Amino acid sequence: MRFGPVPVAAAAGLISAHTVRRADITLRKGAVIGEAVAAGLAQAGVSEIVAAALEAGDVGEDAAAARLADRLRGPNLRVEAPFTGRCNLFAEAAGVLTLDPARIDAVNAVSEAVTVATLPRFRPVVEGEMVATVKIIPYAVPGAVLAHACAAAEDGALAVAPYRRRRVGVVSTRLPSLKEGTIDKTLRVLSDRLAPTGAAIVAETRVAHADEAVAASLAAMINDAGADLVVVFGASAIADRRDVIPAGIEAAGGRVAHLGMPVDPGNLLLVGACGDVPVIGAPGCARSPKENGFDWILHRLLADLTVTRADIVALGVGGLLMEIVSRPQPRAGGATASDE
């Protein structure tokens, strides 16, 4: 692409690099300069204009943006019509945004003329939410550059994993120090968390803080209530793999995949499963409506995405979240781990 000042008499058919206003003529940035406009600018005393001219093999900004966006688009995304070198991608379903950061980085490394910006990986999204934008910086790019960017993107680098698990069972353990009102509030907070996902609490039970009671209630939630995800709120936070909640999961024939998470609030979260039904041992901060590590794992599991130990330990960068009011002491004041 050629770019620079040209005589206005030779500007017809070129692309205006800047907005120009003279007399009753307004030439918008990025517009193709028509012969009548060029003649009018000349009559208004304009002798030179900064313009861009496509060369052989160049692809215009809108066509280039649309082609790359279509290449990036995976399941449950739609691409809207490009404008001014920009093409946006939107979610077609509520769910979790999935992407490969290395692919996005590779596209952005091809040329300064090509950019892709996305929401963070695994961000919960609603239908109609914009999840990514492709922007071509100049008015055109060489076809070879666009081809390289499309190759780096690969097919379907972005997608939305829709929420699939809709039936949530809740087990709450009791100790004398825990008020029933606290459990009631916890259930309301969880219901509000689930609402945007289309999931709901299908059954809840309150049992003694003992591994046998947890095991029996897990079996009932899955076999009798048909829960496809179970959340266990302990009256006391999980302190060890031999503690009540992990012991209860194993007594029910389940397994503990990982205990602990480098996200604060949310350190004392447990991820496990009974058969193919995920089980979350909720940290104390999950009783609060404010965002915490529990949200990050809950949404992934509701979208039926596998959460491995490697996935959890990779959350440390960016895992320091805001302080929450449910803490008995601020982090800097030596808060105990019991309510995290």
Side-chain angles (χ1 to χ4, degrees), residues 39 60 103 201 340:
R103 292 194 200 179
I201 298 172
E340 295 179 354

Side-chain angles (χ1 to χ4, degrees), residues 13 44 50 74 77 91 110 127 132 145 163 173 215 220 224 241 244 263 300 302 318 330:
V50 180
L77 290 177
V110 167
E127 183 178 357
V145 169
Y163 294 119
T173 69
D224 300 335
R241 273 182 172 262
V244 167
V263 178
R300 292 197 204 184
L302 289 171

Side-chain angles (χ1 to χ4, degrees), residues 275-289:
D276 61 355
V277 176
V279 178
I280 304 175
C285 60
R287 299 186 188 276
S288 165

Side-chain angles (χ1 to χ4, degrees), residues 47-334:
S47 61
E48 192 176 73
I49 189 170
V50 180
L54 273 62
E55 296 182 295
D58 284 348
V59 181
E61 57 178 348
D62 284 352
R67 192 181 305 176
L68 180 55
D70 192 61
R71 178 75 166 178
L72 290 165
R73 180 178 62 87
N76 301 304
L77 290 177
R78 76 172 189 274
V79 175
E80 292 211 336
F83 61 98
T84 62
R86 183 180 300 281
C87 197
N88 298 326
L89 295 92
F90 293 83
E92 287 192 313
V96 174
L97 177 65
T98 63
L99 59 88
D100 182 349
R103 292 194 200 179
I104 305 303
D105 291 346
V107 173
N108 285 323
V110 167
S111 168
E112 63 185 22
V114 178
T115 68
V116 179
T118 77
L119 293 180
R121 189 184 190 194
F122 298 125
R123 168 70 66 86
V125 297
V126 297
E127 183 178 357
E129 184 174 355
M130 189 170 80
V131 303
T133 184
V134 175
K135 173 63 177 172
I136 304 300
I137 303 300
Y139 294 112
V141 293
V145 169
L146 178 60
H148 189 183
C150 288
E154 303 183 19
D155 286 326
L158 298 167
V160 170
Y163 294 119
R164 300 187 184 280
R165 297 183 182 272
R166 312 244 178 213
R167 300 178 58 82
V168 178
V170 181
V171 176
S172 301
T173 69
R174 288 174 166 142
L175 285 173
S177 58
L178 182 66
K179 298 178 181 178
E180 291 296 307
T182 299
I183 299 177
D184 294 338
K185 179 183 176 182
T186 298
L187 293 170
R188 290 194 299 270
V189 168
L190 180 59
S191 291
D192 291 342
R193 269 195 169 92
L194 295 173
T197 74
I201 298 172
V202 296
E204 69 97 3
T205 187
R206 307 176 189 196
V207 300
H209 190 69
D211 50 3
E212 301 88 350
V214 170
S217 59
L218 284 173
M221 285 292 165
I222 296 168
N223 299 326
D224 300 335
D228 55 18
L229 186 148
V230 180
V231 181
V232 183
F233 288 95
S236 179
I238 306 168
D240 188 89
R241 273 182 172 262
R242 294 160 292 187
D243 210 340
V244 167
I245 293 172
I249 293 171
E250 292 180 346
R255 64 192 184 281
V256 175
H258 190 75
L259 170 61
M261 183 165 61
V263 178
D264 188 7
N267 290 142
L268 301 184
L269 180 139
L270 176 149
V271 174
C274 287
D276 61 355
V277 176
V279 178
I280 304 175
C285 60
R287 299 186 188 276
S288 165
K290 293 190 176 182
E291 182 186 14
N292 57 77
F294 174 70
D295 294 282
W296 294 9
I297 302 304
L298 176 67
H299 281 272
R300 292 197 204 184
L301 293 176
L302 289 171
D304 207 19
L305 295 173
T306 300
V307 177
T308 66
R309 180 180 186 277
D311 293 326
I312 293 174
V313 300
L315 297 175
V317 176
L320 181 60
L321 305 180
M322 294 179 64
E323 198 64 76
I324 61 171
V325 295
S326 63
R327 286 180 180 273
Q329 299 175 30
R331 196 180 284 120

Side-chain angles (χ1 to χ4, degrees), residues 19-28 36-46:
T19 297
V20 179
R21 294 183 176 88
R22 291 292 188 278
D24 60 348
I25 299 173
T26 298
L27 176 61
R28 299 290 182 186
V37 170
L41 290 173
Q43 290 177 1
V46 177

